[in-house]
Structures are given as C-alpha cells and as structure tokens.
Amino acid sequence: MIEIVNFINGEHVRGAESEGLFSLNPATEERIAHVTVSSPADVDAAVQAARAAYDSGPWPRLSVEERAYYLHAIADALEDNLALFAQYECEDTGFLAKMCRDGHLPRAVEHFRFFAEEGKRFFGSAIPVGDAYFNLTHPVPLGVAAIITPWNGPLAVSSINLAAALIAGNCVVLKPSEMAPVTISLLGQIFAEIGLPPGVVNIVQGAGSPTGQALIRHPDIDLVCFIGGTQVGKAVLRHAADTVRRSLLELGGKSPTVVLADADLDAALDGALVSAFSSNGQVCTAGSRIIVERAIAEEFSRRFIERTRQIRVGDPFDARSEIGPMISAGHREQMLRAIDAAQRQGARLRTGGAIPAWCERGFYIEPAVFTDVHPRSDLARQEIFGPVIGMFTAEDEADALRLANDTCFGLAGSVWSRDQSRALAFAKKMQAGNVGVNTPYIRDIRCPFGGFKQSGIGAVGGRWSLEHYTQTQTLCVPLSGYALPKYGVEP
C-alpha cells in the first residue's frame, strides 16, 4: 500500500493528524493508499513555504524562459513514466485504463508543454498617449495560488491550472481529492528530482474538512482555484469576499444534448452516448439531459435505450469495458437514491439503474435512462455526476431551446442538425460556455473553457488561464510630457 504524505518546502512530510484516510480501488474495494490528513497547522506551513518562495525565492524572478525549462522537465518526467502514472490513476479513480493511458495522462503532459511556450507569448503592450507619454502594460504574478482539484482526472485537471500558475511566476499550494490522491502525490517526487526550488509547489493531502477549509480560509492566499461542486464553490466565494481575493471556479453542470428533427440520427446517437457515458459519466460536461424534437423522439429514444442496454460495464483494465465503477460506495449510494427519487417523482426508468447481478465487489452500477422526466424534477435540475440520463421531448426548435436553457447551470452542451447554419444559430442561443455543433464538445488547451451561470467563474486554457494567474500593471513613461502645473510656486 502506498503511503501518501504532504510535500512542503521541497520535502515529503507527514500530516499532524494522528489518523489518516484510505484511498480505495473502486473496482476491487481494496485499499491502495494510506493518506495523511493535513491539519490547519500543516496547511499554514505549506502556505508560508509558498509565501517565502514567492517573496524572497528565485521563482518569480526567473525569466519566463527559465521557468519554461522546469515545466518542460516536468513534462519529460511524466512522459517517461506515463504507463506507471496511467496505471495508478486507473486504480485510484476507476476510469478506464485506455482513457487514462491515451487521454488523461497525455493531456497532462501537453498542459505543461503548452504553457511553457504560451508563457513566452504572454506579454504587455505600449500604448501611446499622443506624443507625450507611453503607457506600458505588463503582467505581474498574483503571488500564492491555492488549487483544489477533484478526483475525476486528477492529473489532467490539476495540471492545466498548475502549469499556468507556475509559468506566470506564482507559487502554489495544491490539494488533490482524498479519494484519488496518488498521481498528484507522485508529482512531488518529480518536483524534487528536477530540482524545482523549494516552496514553489506544495501539496497538502486531506479531505474538505479540515484540510480544504483551512486552505480556502487562509488569509495569505492570493487566488483560490476550485474545481468541484457548485455548493462548495459558493463557500469559496464567501471566503474570498473577506480578503477581496480572486477566485477561479469550475463547477457543476447539467448539460443538454439537443437533437433537432432534421439531425443525422446515427451521428447524433453516437454523440449523445459519448457525451452521456464517457469517463463513467462522472464528468462535469456530461450530456445528462437529452432533448429531442417530437417528430423523431420515439425513434431516437428507442435506439438510445437499446444501445445503453448493450454498454459493457466492467473492470477498467479490460479493454472491452466501456464504463467502469463509480468512485466510491458513498457516491454510488447517492446515485441509487437519486434513481429511486426520480421514479417516485414520476419519471419512467427504461433501463439500468441497479447494481449488476455479477457484481460481488467494486462500486459498479448499470447506466440508467429515464423518460417522462418532468422539467422541474430533481432529475432534471440536479447534477447526479454519474451515468444517469433524462430524456425530454420538445415540441419544436423553440421549445428545445427553452428546455436546454432551463437550468441554473451552463457549462457545456451540443446540438445536432443536418443544417449546419441552423445548428450554429441554435448553439449561439444556448446559455453554455462550451457547445458542440454536430459533435460532442471536445476541449482544446488553446481555447477558453468555462461555464455560464452557476457553472463557474472564469475560463482556463490559452491566454485566458494566464490572465487569471496574473494582474496587469501599467507604467506611465513621459516622452515630451505635458506641462505640469507648478504647485506652491508664486506666480
């Protein structure tokens, strides 16, 4: 079993709490890691290490090219050990091995490489004020950033923010989820091996209470980046108000897949299934609401349900598996309660929604599809974060748009129509930050990724990340200058 400890000021150290937590393999329920729990004192030590590294250490004073060298070194080390990291992440999260190996881990490598180079292209401007002055703008790092990340795709999700924060010159305290801490913990070893200056990145382990709470409440943090549920995101904002500090939030979603009557049904069906069930359905962009125009609703629903029944749920290391286990017993139980509540509220369960008959161990569940879902029911409004889908029938295009936007979330979505112009016009009216047009939404590191409404504040990717992790200073430099009044001089 792996021993997971903190990484503070360049050293691996145990947390002060006497008892730790255990990370379980969701497929086998076996303990794979013992996780230290960081007390508020541990968190304070990590923040103070980051503060000292920022205030008096070399990191923010290095050139961007020198910082880029370290980011490339991190990427090199990850790439050299990609198979090992992918195995650990599969065991830690229950995500399919092929997804970890071919998707999440290469994406983490790409994040460090991309921002190593993007940072060199991120600079200020000279703004002339007539012939009298130049106003020179330049980006300045914020200081100490707290980055709190979830258990789904921990390395990929962490790295997009960590790499941007580092190339901009910030120092970081990173807290991974206690349910999937292994690959983030291994990053500490990489930092030590490549000679990253002490205190530049600190990793604290533990649950939301006490560790996460101590971090978001710490007065010496200049920015909190939180990726997770909307309710916790609101708490981050409340604490940020006390110190007027910046917050970057990627929160929940209840994303719609809209299938208009003239859609290519085969393509839309494939896209809707991918949007609904990739990453075991445990992803914030999951297309958990499928809205279909009435003219094709019956056929589309029938085919979607048939395909869902054939999805192979099983061992994430089995190449034939299409959905692995849920992250924990508790999370699966929440899903089962949500499925039961949906039926009591009148929705019709058409397939799945139970623990597979063959399941003797592991947190598996059959993907569930509901029809006859009331738009105001819990199933329609609340994020379940698993392979549970609600299908809705729209009377026409206007009704489909109304249903798509009838949510407090606005993270992602997709629309399907053979008429590309019609689909594009529809997509522009959707209240979501990321919309696929005749495709599931596919992320690109060069593009902004962020949500509308209660799905978050800010966007990550490309220069948008760097803008969040810096502040702009303007320097006013005279050329000929204006004739200044001479205060205190007798006329």
Side-chain angles (χ1 to χ4, degrees):
M1 186 163 52
I2 302 169
E3 187 72 19
I4 303 293
V5 298
N6 294 332
F7 183 75
I8 298 176
N9 207 30
E11 297 182 350
H12 289 91
V13 293
R14 295 181 181 277
E17 296 287 331
S18 58
E19 295 185 4
L21 303 169
F22 290 99
S23 176
L24 304 183
N25 182 331
T28 65
E29 303 186 35
E30 296 173 347
R31 293 176 174 179
I32 60 174
H34 179 261
V35 186
T36 194
V37 174
S38 300
S39 68
D42 296 317
V43 171
D44 181 64
V47 174
Q48 295 309 321
R51 175 57 61 191
Y54 181 78
D55 289 344
S56 56
W59 189 253
R61 294 155 191 87
L62 296 178
S63 68
V64 67
E65 290 79 10
E66 290 172 312
R67 292 197 292 268
Y69 166 82
Y70 285 99
L71 265 64
H72 278 301
I74 296 169
D76 289 342
L78 279 174
E79 206 160 40
D80 289 344
N81 295 278
L82 191 142
L84 178 64
F85 272 79
Q87 177 182 334
Y88 277 130
E89 186 146 303
C90 177
E91 292 177 353
D92 213 13
T93 64
F95 279 18
L96 301 181
K98 55 191 173 186
M99 176 170 288
C100 295
R101 181 188 64 246
D102 301 331
H104 291 174
L105 270 297
R107 188 187 300 174
V109 173
E110 180 190 12
H111 292 162
F112 285 106
R113 294 211 191 282
F114 173 82
F115 281 110
E117 298 306 312
E118 185 70 5
K120 300 174 187 177
R121 299 185 286 265
F122 186 68
F123 38 76
S125 59
I127 303 168
V129 183
D131 294 326
Y133 292 88
F134 264 129
N135 281 341
L136 307 177
T137 71
H138 70 116
V140 178
L142 289 171
V144 176
I147 300 176
I148 303 173
T149 58
W151 45 260
N152 59 325
L155 200 56
V157 174
S158 297
S159 59
I160 192 171
N161 289 287
L162 179 59
L166 292 178
I167 197 65
N170 300 284
C171 296
V172 174
V173 179
L174 173 62
K175 194 202 90 65
S177 169
E178 72 280 7
M179 290 194 286
V182 176
T183 52
I184 300 300
S185 177
L186 293 176
L187 273 183
Q189 186 62 36
I190 287 178
F191 298 151
E193 289 175 356
I194 69 168
L196 190 71
V200 171
V201 180
N202 306 272
I203 303 171
V204 292
Q205 304 287 348
S209 176
T211 311
Q213 290 182 0
L215 188 54
I216 66 174
R217 292 173 177 173
H218 200 288
D220 219 15
I221 294 292
D222 299 300
L223 174 144
V224 174
C225 169
F226 173 77
I227 303 99
T230 295
Q231 293 306 312
V232 178
K234 292 177 180 179
V236 171
L237 277 179
R238 285 193 290 269
H239 291 298
D242 293 337
T243 52
V244 196
R245 67 181 174 212
R246 198 173 298 186
S247 297
L248 176 57
L249 306 175
E250 182 186 322
L251 307 177
K254 196 71 178 176
S255 300
T257 295
V258 178
V259 185
L260 300 178
D262 65 342
D264 179 333
L265 289 194
D266 291 333
L269 183 63
D270 288 341
L273 286 159
V274 168
S275 295
F277 299 126
S278 64
S279 299
N280 301 346
Q282 296 175 127
V283 61
C284 55
T285 56
S288 56
R289 294 185 300 136
I290 300 178
I291 301 165
V292 188
E293 275 199 87
R294 183 171 295 280
I296 59 168
E298 183 176 350
E299 180 183 359
F300 188 89
S301 297
R302 174 181 57 78
R303 294 177 63 184
F304 187 92
I305 293 163
E306 288 175 356
R307 288 276 296 273
T308 301
R309 288 194 181 112
Q310 298 174 41
I311 289 176
R312 294 180 293 275
V313 179
D315 182 353
F317 283 101
D318 186 338
R320 297 169 298 176
S321 296
E322 295 173 301
I323 289 182
M326 301 300 98
I327 186 64
S328 69
H331 186 60
R332 182 177 64 178
E333 183 59 33
Q334 289 178 3
M335 291 174 54
L336 291 171
R337 288 198 296 268
I339 289 167
D340 179 65
Q343 293 178 90
R344 285 188 280 105
Q345 292 176 9
R348 182 183 175 192
L349 179 62
R350 301 296 297 276
T351 188
I355 297 173
W358 52 261
C359 179
E360 296 181 355
R361 60 178 183 174
F363 309 128
Y364 295 96
I365 190 171
E366 298 169 342
V369 180
F370 283 91
T371 58
D372 304 313
V373 182
H374 193 281
R376 291 288 167 179
S377 66
D378 291 343
L379 180 62
R381 315 290 293 179
Q382 297 179 7
E383 184 179 40
I384 296 177
F385 214 70
V388 180
I389 305 304
M391 305 197 75
F392 303 80
T393 299
E395 296 303 323
D396 52 26
E397 182 177 330
D399 192 39
L401 181 64
R402 180 189 63 79
L403 288 170
N405 291 337
D406 186 21
T407 173
C408 67
F409 297 108
L411 187 56
S414 64
V415 57
W416 299 80
S417 168
R418 290 183 188 273
D419 184 337
Q420 190 82 354
S421 296
R422 180 191 186 198
L424 185 60
F426 189 99
K428 290 180 66 177
K429 298 174 187 175
M430 292 175 70
Q431 297 169 2
N434 315 277
V435 181
V437 178
N438 288 318
T439 177
Y441 178 74
I442 306 298
R443 290 184 67 168
D444 187 301
I445 184 61
R446 297 167 296 179
C447 301
F449 179 84
F452 291 8
K453 298 190 273 190
Q454 293 188 32
S455 285
I457 296 176
V460 296
R463 63 179 175 84
W464 292 270
S465 284
L466 298 177
E467 288 172 353
H468 277 291
Y469 284 102
T470 58
Q471 48 198 346
T472 301
Q473 184 181 49
T474 301
L475 305 175
C476 183
V477 181
L479 298 177
S480 60
Y482 295 144
L484 302 178
K486 296 183 180 295
Y487 285 16
V489 177
E490 294 183 4

